Amino acid sequence: MAEEEKESFAQLIRQQGIVAFGDQPLVPPAPGAHQRLPESGGAATGRTRAMLPADHPDLECHDDSWHASGQQRAMQKAMRANCCQESIDLHGLKVDEAWSAVDEFLDRAQQQDQRVVEIVHGYGRTRNSPSVLRGKVRGWLAASDEVIWFCQPKGNKGITVVGLRSRRRR
Amino acid sequence: MIAVRVLYFASLRERLAVAEEQVQLAAGSTAADLIDALAGRNDLHRQAFADRSQLRIAHNRRFASADAALADGDEVGLFPPVTGG
């Protein structure tokens, strides 16, 4: 295999978030590298709209769940079914980087009609110092018109599962 | 009396044609009292806050319930209800 092909293959592996292959450790992916959703139908899907309120990025929400009117059953059903379709990991990202990453992730998910996705923001370093990103992420979600519910999976404060409004129904 | 800064977001901002304003309230008021006061201003405000049970409220940039107690100088962000699925 040519060096160029090897590098191309290694890059592809990193993009998929694979950090080890057998006994061979691979270079950890850069933050955000494994968070991209596949392009639908091979066509490039450009950024179409802001999913989060750009004019108020310092919002916080410390509730474990929230739902829009009439969406409680949909939320409970999705959580029972564990039907999360895509995930983004925010570990290693600063707040402003996380904002952009989540905004882009939700936009792409909605373009591909993903209705239930997952955001991994972490627990925080200690019991008395909860994840800063958790409160921020949930604040952004609570302020978004495109989010119809969000919920913390039972026993896992490091994750928020998000229900997205369908773009096809408009 | 207390003065709170009220920020309007998304369709509320468009509907009321105002991004923010200062509102005077009686001491001891809650976010629900603020919304009642706003809704009582005129027909436009009454319609804008008709579905107030689903209104999302950020008190000093933290999402809170309508019974959050307000103090002088506080900031209250109001987000319209999310509809559809």
Side-chain angles (χ1 to χ4, degrees), chain A residues 53 55-56 58-63 66-69 71 115 139 141-145 147-148 164-166 169, chain B residues 5 7-11 13 51 53-56 58 60-65 75 77 79-85:
Chain A
D55 51 355
H56 223 43
D58 48 355
L59 286 167
E60 289 182 26
C61 178
H62 295 276
D63 296 333
W66 171 85
H67 60 82
S69 177
Q71 296 298 323
R115 302 293 306 279
L141 297 173
S144 171
D145 289 337
V147 172
I148 52 176
L164 289 172
R165 188 146 65 132
S166 171
R169 289 194 183 179
Chain B
R5 181 180 178 219
L7 307 177
Y8 299 99
F9 288 88
S11 61
R13 179 182 295 180
D51 191 9
S53 66
Q54 289 298 318
L55 203 67
R56 292 163 293 164
N60 293 334
R61 310 205 170 188
R62 283 190 172 201
F63 278 87
S65 61
E75 180 188 285
F79 296 78
V82 174
T83 55

Side-chain angles (χ1 to χ4, degrees), chain B residues 1-79:
Chain B
M1 295 289 281
I2 58 170
V4 297
R5 181 180 178 219
V6 182
L7 307 177
Y8 299 99
F9 288 88
S11 61
L12 268 181
R13 179 182 295 180
E14 292 160 18
R15 201 163 181 174
L16 300 174
V18 62
E20 66 174 88
E21 63 176 320
Q22 290 280 338
V23 176
Q24 302 280 336
L25 294 167
S29 294
T30 63
D33 296 328
L34 166 67
I35 295 163
D36 285 343
L38 294 172
R41 282 180 172 176
N42 52 42
D43 282 350
L44 180 68
H45 281 74
R46 183 174 52 77
Q47 287 166 13
F49 295 108
D51 191 9
R52 72 182 73 179
S53 66
Q54 289 298 318
L55 203 67
R56 292 163 293 164
I57 301 163
H59 178 214
N60 293 334
R61 310 205 170 188
R62 283 190 172 201
F63 278 87
S65 61
D67 58 5
L70 304 180
D72 193 40
D74 279 0
E75 180 188 285
V76 179
L78 297 176
F79 296 78

Side-chain angles (χ1 to χ4, degrees), chain A residues 90-129:
Chain A
L90 303 181
H91 281 99
L93 299 185
K94 294 174 185 169
V95 171
D96 57 338
E97 294 170 334
W99 189 94
S100 299
V102 171
D103 193 48
E104 184 178 344
F105 171 71
L106 295 181
D107 178 63
R108 293 179 68 118
Q110 200 182 44
Q111 281 185 62
Q112 295 175 24
D113 207 33
Q114 308 270 353
R115 302 293 306 279
V116 182
V117 296
E118 178 183 88
I119 299 174
V120 180
H121 38 64
Y123 286 83
R125 289 180 182 165
T126 67
R127 180 176 287 191
N128 295 325
S129 168

